[in-house]
Amino acid sequence: MRGLVSCGAVVAVAVLAAGCGGGSTQSSPATSAAKPPTSTAPPPPAIVAPAQLKPGQYPTKPHEPYGTAGAPAAGARLEAQQLAGYVVGPWQVDSTLTEPYLSTYFVIDEPGLLAQFGPESIATAAGRHKFIDGFVSARESATKTVLINGVLRFASPEDAGAAAGEMNAAALQLNIRGAVPKTVAIPDHPDALASTYDVDSRGTKLTTVRSFTAHGPYVLTQLAQSTAGLDPAIALVTKAIGAQAAAIEPFKPAPELPAVPIDPTGLLALTLQTDAPRNSQNAVYSGTGALHFQSNPVTSSRVFQDNGVTAFARGKTSVYRAKDPASAVNVANTFGKEVSVDGTETADPVPALTLSRCILLANPKQFYCVAPAGDYAIEARGPELKDVHEQVAAQYILLTAKP
């Protein structure tokens, strides 16, 4: 969960490290061959029987397999979620850009939502050119450097080109605290349409560069802000455009939005759903897409790679699929250690789940629990510890119980 579910420094993996090494000695001709090397890694944790758990009123039977979106609006939302795995995170452009900024991530399933991180006139311009969907990621550094990077999909390259031009024109017409934007060139990207302006923020000059680049049926959009002048902001945008143009190439836009699959991994059917979802919830993402929801995506990326995290479901609980049970234990342990910071208190673990960990968070004050479940790691949170225990118990049953 964003702001809670984060992966800090990679912890030493006792579960795995114990099995590294081992070997054999070369026997002499007069003796039999040495025994083959053996692993000292402990076996994966045994699955806890459902009867030992207390899920309360939460469901413990998987949802029937999901089909397809069925309607264009639903398909746009699903495709926007899938785009997350192809959008370059700001931390990939500059590793110091890990702090949440604004809402941090934006699932854009209709053009009006672009106003969540930019002027309404730019959103209106996008809406005039057959906008379909998009995903945007925003982060800042401790020194208040900001980068917003995103991909917006349009119906055709022609629509994307027209939208980029009109969105940039709208940006140039803005008046931001008395500052009037002016056109600026982006090195190595002559097709980028960009503007810049300076404003004063509590005695510090903030330089902003806003850019729109048509790339096939997409508009690659960036906003960079620097306290060190124009050149660093332009450098961020330059690097982001190059990285994003490469990252979007493997993405296959849906020919028909109603046909977009709801649950291509099958993981959503095994995940507790939230009753009033935002458009980023009750959804599945790739392991790469999951990084946009982490409080420290740089270290999360290493943990996900080391442990083969390939899928992430975001419902009432959060579920990560790792490559094997030992890796799921490592992911859960890492999450628990990351959240256990100053100001938190240890809480009782989930009954019967000895590898679970629960913590009382300080701000906002709520309980957070994490636990491995076979190949998966589970996270849950809420104001009442008993309820969070029940969420984890139900989620554990959903993931591990045999049909």
Side-chain angles (χ1 to χ4, degrees), residues 243-312:
Q244 186 57 74
I248 195 59
E249 287 306 315
F251 183 74
K252 304 298 183 187
E256 300 291 338
L257 289 175
V260 176
I262 294 172
D263 187 17
T265 65
L267 185 54
L268 186 61
L270 301 175
T271 302
L272 287 181
Q273 308 287 290
T274 185
D275 293 332
R278 297 187 293 274
N279 69 352
S280 63
Q281 292 179 300
N282 291 353
V284 287
Y285 299 86
S286 65
T288 303
L291 294 172
H292 296 285
F293 302 92
Q294 305 302 300
S295 62
N296 191 329
V298 172
T299 47
S300 293
S301 178
R302 291 196 289 268
V303 172
F304 287 6
Q305 289 175 3
D306 290 346
N307 296 286
V309 174
T310 56
F312 165 60

Side-chain angles (χ1 to χ4, degrees), residues 168 183-187 189-194 211-214 220 222 237 241:
N168 183 61
T183 297
V184 67
I186 304 299
H189 300 290
D191 50 347
L193 305 175
S211 178
F212 306 94
T213 305
L220 315 182
Q222 293 81 30
V237 171
I241 293 172

Side-chain angles (χ1 to χ4, degrees), residues 10 22 65 79 89 98 105 133 137 163 192 235 272 288 298 301 330 367 403:
V10 180
E79 186 175 76
T98 59
Y105 52 84
D133 51 46
S137 189
L272 287 181
T288 303
V298 172
S301 178
N330 187 40
F367 291 95

Side-chain angles (χ1 to χ4, degrees), residues 76-87:
R77 182 181 67 255
L78 291 165
E79 186 175 76
Q81 294 162 354
Q82 293 170 9
L83 268 171
Y86 300 86
V87 169

Side-chain angles (χ1 to χ4, degrees), residues 1 58 272-274 282 314-318 379-380 387 391:
M1 295 178 185
Y58 287 109
L272 287 181
Q273 308 287 290
T274 185
N282 291 353
R314 191 165 188 263
K316 187 172 185 65
T317 54
S318 291
E379 295 178 306
D387 176 67
Q391 290 181 47

